């Protein structure tokens, strides 16, 4: 076919980033349908290929055993693990994780399918008066401790490439003393782990207030600001904070991503508050961020 160039040689079945650079220009010069072809090439270069490369690297971590040979993590396992983290002996929870790792589960799978659901279950149990606030506090503290414990191994589970992008994650509202605040803090730490593993420079230390966050983005450059929001936070308050962050940011094309229980079942709220994307979990947050920044770059 006239105007179509063959794909460059690939590594592990995927194009290298250097090899894909300038694809849009080459397509446009190849005698094809000009503008439409160039736009398609830019979409492939800016969105599809980066997504494939990210998925390829992340899924490699879970390739120790065929999917059919791995133990399934369902509600029973999550409930059992939640009871373990509420006990005052975290060693049993560590042993549970290690037993699953020896059966072939990656830390990414355990973070997403065990630790995160356990945190949500603790909140649901507390709301249903199935446990008291002390039990939930102990459980969430242990979950955060487990995140810290396994963070080094999680970061080295896949090959990471530093690319210079920076992200600031914050919790709204910042109320670490209450159960909802601790749940948000756990979700925030989880998001940070995934971004750090994907090569992002994650701002160390969550802002203590909305005013502090605005001050930080005014003096520091961030490609992305992530906000973890719970259901008790009014959408009008979230929208006002997002507007303030955009006005103050020294990066006028900063991306805004939201996550948390306020958006989990209501993705339509993302546009209501003026955000650009919603993060369902750590893996999807990385893919969303990659796509979002590609779109932002083309708008500039």
């Amino acid at each position: 076919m006239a105007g179509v160039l063959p794909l460059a040689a690939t590594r592990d079945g995927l194009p290298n980033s250097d090899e894909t650079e300038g694809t849009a220009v080459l397509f446009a010069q190849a005698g094809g349908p000009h503008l439409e072809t160039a736009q398609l090439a830019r979409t492939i270069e800016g969105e599809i290929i980066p997504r494939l490369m990210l998925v390829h690297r992340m899924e490699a971590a879970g390739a120790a055993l065929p999917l059919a040979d791995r133990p399934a993590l369902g509600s029973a396992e999550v409930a059992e693990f939640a009871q373990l983290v509420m006990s005052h002996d975290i060693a049993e929870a560590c042993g549970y994780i290690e037993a699953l790792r020896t059966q072939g589960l990656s830390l990414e799978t355990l973070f997403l399918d065990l630790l995160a659901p356990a945190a949500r279950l603790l909140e649901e149990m507390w709301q249903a008066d199935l446990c008291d606030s002390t039990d939930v506090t102990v459980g969430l503290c242990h979950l955060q401790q487990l995140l810290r414990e396994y963070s080094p191994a999680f970061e080295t589970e896949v090959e990471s490439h530093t690319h210079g992008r920076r992200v600031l994650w914050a919790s709204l509202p910042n109320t670490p003393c209450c159960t909802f605040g601790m749940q948000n803090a756990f979700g925030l730490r989880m998001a940070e782990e995934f971004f750090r593993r994907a090569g992002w420079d994650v701002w160390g230390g969550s802002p203590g207030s909305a005013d502090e966050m605005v001050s930080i983005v005014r003096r520091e450059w961030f490609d992305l600001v992530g906000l973890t929001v719970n259901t008790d936070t009014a959408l009008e308050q979230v929208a006002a904070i997002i507007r303030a962050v955009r006005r103050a940011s020294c990066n006028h094309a900063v991306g805004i991503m939201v996550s948390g229980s306020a958006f989990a079942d209501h993705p339509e709220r993302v546009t209501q508050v003026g955000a650009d994307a919603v993060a369902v979990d750590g893996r999807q947050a990385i893919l969303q961020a990659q796509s979002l920044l590609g779109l932002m770059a083309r708008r500039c």
Side-chain angles (χ1 to χ4, degrees):
M1 286 175 55
V4 178
L5 299 181
L7 287 176
T10 60
R11 175 171 50 87
D12 298 330
L14 292 172
N16 291 323
S17 58
D18 292 342
E19 293 164 347
T20 60
E21 186 175 357
T23 305
V25 175
L26 292 175
F27 266 92
Q29 293 175 349
H34 303 301
L35 180 59
E36 293 81 0
T37 305
Q39 289 174 338
L40 175 61
R42 280 194 291 269
T43 301
I44 294 172
E45 178 184 338
E47 295 187 49
I48 297 176
I49 290 175
R51 284 184 182 226
L52 288 173
M53 294 179 73
L54 279 167
V55 171
H56 178 74
R57 287 202 300 268
M58 290 182 173
E59 289 184 347
L65 286 175
L67 186 60
D69 296 335
R70 295 179 188 169
L73 293 178
S75 57
E77 288 77 19
V78 171
E80 182 179 0
F81 185 69
Q83 291 295 333
L84 291 177
V85 296
M86 281 192 293
S87 73
H88 289 274
D89 185 5
I90 195 174
E92 291 190 33
C94 286
Y96 195 89
I97 291 175
E98 287 302 317
L100 291 173
R101 292 184 73 190
T102 60
Q103 296 178 54
L105 270 73
S106 67
L107 282 174
E108 177 177 309
T109 297
L110 294 173
F111 278 15
L112 294 177
D113 297 342
L114 187 66
L115 272 69
R120 290 192 294 269
L121 180 59
L122 291 178
E123 181 181 331
E124 292 168 3
M125 291 172 64
W126 179 71
Q127 291 176 326
D129 289 327
L130 297 176
C131 60
D132 58 33
S133 58
T134 301
D135 294 328
V136 177
T137 299
V138 170
L140 289 172
C141 285
H142 281 168
L143 285 173
Q144 292 211 52
Q145 186 175 341
L146 289 169
L147 272 182
R148 290 193 297 270
E149 178 74 20
Y150 285 100
S151 175
F154 179 70
E155 288 187 33
T156 58
E157 201 171 52
V158 297
E159 184 181 358
S160 179
H161 301 279
T162 302
H163 44 61
R165 289 172 177 162
R166 302 187 75 199
V167 60
L168 168 67
W169 275 97
S171 176
L172 298 178
N174 192 316
T175 51
C177 59
C178 72
T179 301
F180 284 125
M182 293 189 67
Q183 164 74 356
N184 269 12
F186 175 78
L188 185 148
R189 294 284 92 79
M190 179 79 78
E192 289 181 346
E193 290 296 335
F194 273 86
F195 273 84
R196 190 174 290 110
R197 187 176 75 158
W200 288 67
D201 177 12
V202 179
W203 179 262
S206 179
S209 66
D211 288 341
E212 183 181 346
M213 179 168 57
V214 169
S215 177
I216 291 172
V217 300
R218 181 178 289 117
R219 68 174 185 268
E220 299 282 346
W221 177 279
F222 294 98
D223 298 277
L224 181 71
V225 172
L227 301 175
T228 300
V229 186
N230 67 38
T231 52
D232 285 353
T233 308
L235 294 182
E236 294 80 6
Q237 179 185 357
V238 179
I241 292 173
I242 289 176
R243 288 194 298 271
V245 168
R246 290 195 191 279
R247 286 196 300 266
S249 177
C250 55
N251 175 11
H252 299 302
V254 65
I256 306 291
M257 180 178 289
V258 290
S259 68
S261 52
F263 300 95
D265 299 319
H266 300 279
E268 73 279 1
R269 292 176 176 174
V270 178
T271 56
Q272 293 178 23
V273 300
D276 300 305
V278 59
V280 178
D281 58 38
R283 182 193 295 117
Q284 288 299 318
I286 296 298
L287 296 176
Q288 290 271 30
Q290 182 75 16
S291 177
L292 174 60
L293 293 186
L295 291 172
M296 291 291 188
R298 286 196 293 276
R299 291 176 188 172
C300 296

